[in-house]
Amino acid sequence: MWNALAPGQQRFIKFWVGGIVAIYVAIIVVALFVISNEKQQSKRNHALRMDPAKAEPGQTAPDPLPATGNFVTVHTGMYVENIETFSIRDLNWSANFYVWFRWQGSPELNPAGTMQLVDATIDKRELVESYAGPDGTNYQRVRITARMFKHFNTTRVPLDDHLMTIGMEDSVHDASQLRYVADTASNISSRAKIPGYDVTGFETVVKGHTYKTSYGDPRFTNSSRKTFTKFVVGISVKRASMGLYFKLLLGLFAGILLTFASFFVRPSEGSRFSFPTAAYFGAVANSYLTGQLLPPSGTFGLIDYVQGLGLFTISICLAASLYSGIIYNIRKDETFSKMLDRATRATILIVYVAANIALPFAAFSR
């Protein structure tokens, strides 16, 4: 059948196929670059967040703490009992956890009463136990219910992973008066779960937290900076499987399958054009529904690239069907029409399947 085509028709199909491949390759390369780069940057940021001497890009680097001074060392730990809520769209998550403090010296220090959470709201605080031992050891344990605010990176949703942190520091005593030391007894309960995610790590660190202000304290100059020690708990979670990915995009993939099925219908039949048209509106509706899961953002992520690629595929197939219909019904060239359909169907099927293997593979954390 290929040899039955005129040289000009053969050249047209070659250019048509080459153009389709070039466009798909360009989209795939850009998407892979964005997704892979974000995944690597996310790993670096997670490492910096739990590094006692470094800060993430865009954040104030902590001032170095003097090795000696008249400060009280407070051993601090945390036990995360459960995770109540987790919402990427609402940019927050909540948990119940115990915090304890152990120090030598005056019991009037009361770190349980002066502690505060960073980027969080404490909904409930309950002093569970407090005592002063005969050897001068003081101990306090507090049960807290809190909601933590987090700007989730949504580039790889729903094949994402996150480092959820609980940051705590003293609201009264800066590093010259009180310094936290991480207690190795800190841990997370096996009951602390998030639907759709696996808890893959738990770690603690104490790092400096410098504020670029003196809070208007007349004892300090306007250029003064205050540094506190911040106790940070990091909980690593990652998507448990690709189940949600396929669940969210099932409507889109069904529409693409319907679009490919239209190539087996003669261009003279009305259903040849109704299939991709219906699939296009279905894909738009699917895009709208998946968008409701994410916060407003001006950046493109995995879901956006897959949805956009699906809409583009349906559009190309519809354009090919329209031109094939002109060839078949007006020019009465059935051979050229069939070859254009076969070339379009085979080319788009190969590159589309390849794209939908490469993109989730690049995004998923193994």
Side-chain angles (χ1 to χ4, degrees):
M1 184 177 291
W2 174 259
N3 293 328
L5 298 178
Q9 293 174 333
Q10 292 180 355
R11 285 195 299 271
F12 177 85
I13 292 180
K14 290 179 180 179
F15 280 118
W16 173 254
V17 169
I20 291 176
V21 172
I23 294 174
Y24 271 93
V25 168
I27 296 174
I28 294 171
V29 169
V30 171
L32 289 176
F33 174 79
V34 171
I35 292 172
S36 299
N37 185 65
E38 187 282 328
K39 184 164 70 172
Q40 297 304 318
Q41 184 62 48
S42 179
K43 290 181 179 179
R44 289 191 291 268
N45 288 345
H46 292 175
L48 291 173
R49 200 175 306 165
M50 301 306 294
D51 190 312
K54 298 179 181 179
E56 293 181 69
Q59 296 188 4
T60 302
D63 292 339
L65 301 177
T68 60
N70 187 25
F71 56 85
V72 178
T73 298
V74 179
H75 294 266
T76 308
M78 183 181 296
Y79 181 76
V80 180
E81 192 171 35
N82 61 66
I83 298 173
E84 289 188 338
T85 62
F86 179 88
S87 175
I88 292 178
R89 177 174 176 78
D90 296 327
L91 303 176
N92 65 65
W93 62 287
S94 62
N96 293 315
F97 51 90
Y98 289 93
V99 180
W100 61 86
F101 306 91
R102 189 177 65 254
W103 75 98
Q104 294 284 335
S106 172
E108 295 181 0
L109 182 65
N110 189 26
T114 56
M115 60 79 68
Q116 66 176 4
L117 298 183
V118 180
D119 296 327
T121 297
I122 297 178
D123 296 324
K124 184 178 180 181
R125 183 198 311 229
E126 177 187 0
L127 183 62
V128 177
E129 188 172 5
S130 177
Y131 69 81
D135 60 348
T137 300
N138 303 282
Y139 177 83
Q140 290 178 320
R141 186 167 79 253
V142 185
R143 189 175 191 272
I144 294 175
T145 300
R147 184 171 70 257
M148 277 61 67
F149 305 104
K150 176 176 174 60
H151 294 283
F152 291 97
N153 190 316
T154 59
T155 303
R156 291 181 291 129
V157 172
L159 301 178
D160 47 322
D161 63 85
H162 303 283
L163 177 65
M164 300 152 53
T165 57
I166 305 175
M168 182 184 69
E169 63 187 38
D170 199 281
S171 61
V172 176
H173 309 98
D174 62 17
S176 66
Q177 301 167 300
L178 182 150
R179 295 189 188 178
Y180 290 142
V181 173
D183 194 319
T184 57
S186 299
N187 211 335
I188 184 171
S189 171
S190 58
R191 299 188 304 276
K193 298 181 181 297
I194 302 173
Y197 289 87
D198 289 332
V199 177
T200 59
F202 179 88
E203 55 185 319
T204 62
V205 69
V206 173
K207 57 193 307 180
H209 187 192
T210 299
Y211 291 88
K212 298 184 291 185
T213 179
S214 62
Y215 296 101
D217 192 329
R219 296 172 297 177
F220 300 91
T221 63
N222 289 333
S223 60
S224 294
R225 296 152 59 103
K226 280 196 172 185
T227 300
F228 296 77
T229 54
K230 181 169 69 171
F231 174 75
V232 182
V233 166
I235 304 172
S236 300
V237 299
K238 74 171 185 176
R239 192 67 66 171
S241 68
M242 296 182 65
L244 182 62
Y245 175 81
F246 291 113
K247 184 177 180 179
L248 291 176
L249 297 171
L250 185 62
L252 174 66
F253 294 148
I256 295 297
L257 184 62
L258 184 64
T259 300
F260 280 126
S262 68
F263 282 106
F264 295 96
V265 180
R266 288 195 302 270
S268 59
E269 300 292 334
S271 57
R272 172 66 182 266
F273 306 100
S274 61
F275 283 0
T277 302
Y280 189 88
F281 284 104
V284 171
N286 185 259
S287 177
Y288 176 79
L289 291 175
T290 54
Q292 298 303 302
L293 301 176
L294 304 175
S297 173
T299 59
F300 275 74
L302 174 64
I303 285 290
D304 302 302
Y305 283 115
V306 175
Q307 293 279 10
L309 203 60
L311 292 171
F312 175 74
T313 298
I314 297 173
S315 299
I316 288 292
C317 291
L318 184 57
S321 293
L322 289 171
Y323 188 59
S324 179
I326 293 173
I327 297 171
Y328 186 91
N329 296 307
I330 299 178
R331 299 181 184 176
K332 304 301 181 181
D333 192 339
E334 184 177 348
T335 301
F336 186 25
S337 175
K338 287 184 177 180
M339 283 304 302
L340 180 63
D341 287 347
R342 290 181 182 178
T344 303
R345 181 178 65 232
T347 303
I348 293 181
L349 179 62
I350 292 172
V351 292
Y352 184 75
V353 171
N356 281 277
I357 292 175
L359 293 182
F361 181 82
F364 195 60
S365 295
R366 291 163 291 280

